[in-house]
Amino acid sequence: MDHLQLVSLLFLILMFPLTNKANVNGPPSPGYYPSRRIGSTEFDQVCTNLWGPQHQTLDQGTLTIWLDINSGSGFKSLSPYSSGYFGASVKLQSGYTAGVITSFYLSNNEDYPGNHDEIDIEFLGTTEDKPYVLQTNVYNRGSGDGSNIIGREVKFNLWFDPAKDFHNYAIFWDPDEIVYPRKNDDSFPSRPMWVYGSIWDASSWATENGKYKADYSYQPFVSQYNNFKISGCDPNSPVQCRPVSDHPSRSGGMSRHQNAAMAWVQNNYKVYDYCQDILRDHSFTPEC
């Protein structure tokens, strides 16, 4: 499978459907929505506060977290997972949010510090005249700390305003794909991971490689989550356990409609691709 398809498959599951409302300016329909096969779960049934409890509230099913000059906030799932579908609806803050990251991701960093696995959805804050950037990333047995930098970052400008309404985002992680196929243990995270979400100050790199910093005259920076859809296999599940399929026939890969939707996104809104970065050492990312 070539690199374009690898990135396409991962991003497909993150971005569709964006909303239940028709969007004439958006991508063509992928035709199949895995999220519709999973019921919503209340936040406190699957997750709990991890840090910054004074910057986190839960009201009628909506979790609000915020960052100010004193602290950000984060949450974590009650259980680890070895595969599954992990989604939430997220609403971001409008206006100046440079340097601020809102995230929803899988990780086992607390279990394997400096040598962890991770699958990321990160919203990179922006200035008032530019769109939000969504960054996806995959780590496998490499934290990105020090000299061990083996990430797979891809960035997209969002073609809608994620601060006007809640939109659905999810990570699909199957024992054999994410949804790019598992070729070997060196390129595929296989150890159990937890679900996380957070808001924090990443001024050193988040917005145009650190050109614009968090400005606390705009505080607090607020993000909201609801409609949690977390359905997966735990590390003790039988081998027959499988998450909902990304494909209507459970055959893996993408359908014709999914390919068309992804091509629209790739051709119009991709702004960074780790495989096209000439400053990267691609010996650790053979798919490039």
Side-chain angles (χ1 to χ4, degrees):
M1 174 172 289
D2 64 23
H3 164 65
L4 176 61
Q5 193 174 4
L6 181 157
V7 174
S8 296
L9 288 168
L10 176 61
F11 192 64
L12 171 74
I13 300 304
L14 303 185
M15 293 302 297
F16 301 108
L18 296 173
T19 177
N20 293 327
K21 301 174 184 178
N23 181 6
V24 296
N25 298 316
S29 170
Y32 169 70
Y33 301 95
S35 63
R36 293 178 180 173
R37 297 191 173 185
I38 301 173
S40 297
T41 306
E42 294 295 325
F43 169 79
D44 53 5
Q45 293 180 336
V46 290
C47 294
T48 188
N49 174 262
L50 179 62
W51 59 283
Q54 72 280 16
H55 289 72
Q56 186 171 130
T57 62
L58 183 63
D59 182 32
Q60 297 183 342
T62 294
L63 177 75
T64 301
I65 61 176
W66 63 93
L67 167 71
D68 63 23
I69 198 168
N70 297 306
S71 175
S73 187
F75 60 88
K76 179 183 179 180
S77 62
L78 297 173
S79 303
Y81 299 89
S82 56
S83 63
Y85 181 97
F86 311 97
S89 296
V90 183
K91 183 179 180 182
L92 305 177
Q93 178 157 314
S94 61
Y96 187 98
T97 55
V100 178
I101 286 184
T102 296
S103 65
F104 185 74
Y105 63 104
L106 306 178
S107 179
N108 50 32
N109 183 50
E110 294 178 274
D111 299 316
Y112 304 100
N115 186 36
H116 76 281
D117 310 302
E118 189 166 308
I119 306 173
D120 292 332
I121 301 173
E122 296 177 308
F123 302 94
L124 310 186
T126 187
T127 57
E128 293 176 286
D129 58 337
K130 295 179 181 178
Y132 262 98
V133 173
L134 184 145
Q135 174 173 283
T136 66
N137 203 352
V138 178
Y139 283 115
N140 180 53
R141 298 179 184 271
S143 69
D145 300 327
S147 60
N148 191 23
I149 302 174
I150 312 172
R152 290 173 166 84
E153 303 92 340
V154 182
K155 297 178 183 179
F156 298 83
N157 284 335
L158 293 179
W159 57 93
F160 58 94
D161 185 348
K164 282 188 174 181
D165 202 352
F166 285 92
H167 295 272
N168 305 325
Y169 308 88
I171 296 169
F172 177 88
W173 177 36
D174 184 272
D176 299 311
E177 54 186 2
I178 314 180
V179 208
Y180 68 88
R182 177 175 183 164
K183 294 184 177 181
N184 55 66
D185 291 342
D186 293 333
S187 62
F188 194 95
S190 56
R191 298 175 296 184
M193 291 189 277
W194 305 73
V195 181
Y196 291 87
S198 62
I199 187 168
W200 56 291
D201 186 333
S203 290
S204 63
W205 64 271
T207 306
E208 299 186 34
N209 295 319
K211 179 179 179 180
Y212 297 98
K213 315 294 185 183
D215 182 346
Y216 287 97
S217 67
Y218 294 94
Q219 71 176 18
F221 300 101
V222 178
S223 294
Q224 295 181 294
Y225 301 72
N226 61 29
N227 192 31
F228 288 87
K229 294 193 173 188
I230 296 177
S231 177
C233 304
D234 66 47
N236 298 316
S237 296
V239 294
Q240 296 88 350
C241 181
R242 285 291 185 273
V244 63
S245 176
D246 62 294
H247 191 281
S249 66
R250 297 194 68 89
S251 62
M254 292 198 297
S255 69
R256 176 173 58 86
H257 293 294
Q258 290 171 326
N259 269 303
M262 186 50 53
W264 183 91
V265 175
Q266 291 277 347
N267 293 335
N268 292 289
Y269 290 96
K270 186 172 70 172
V271 294
Y272 176 83
D273 187 323
Y274 70 102
C275 273
Q276 297 170 0
D277 188 341
I278 62 174
L279 300 179
R280 293 286 296 266
D281 179 358
H282 297 300
S283 61
F284 295 108
T285 53
E287 69 276 8
C288 295

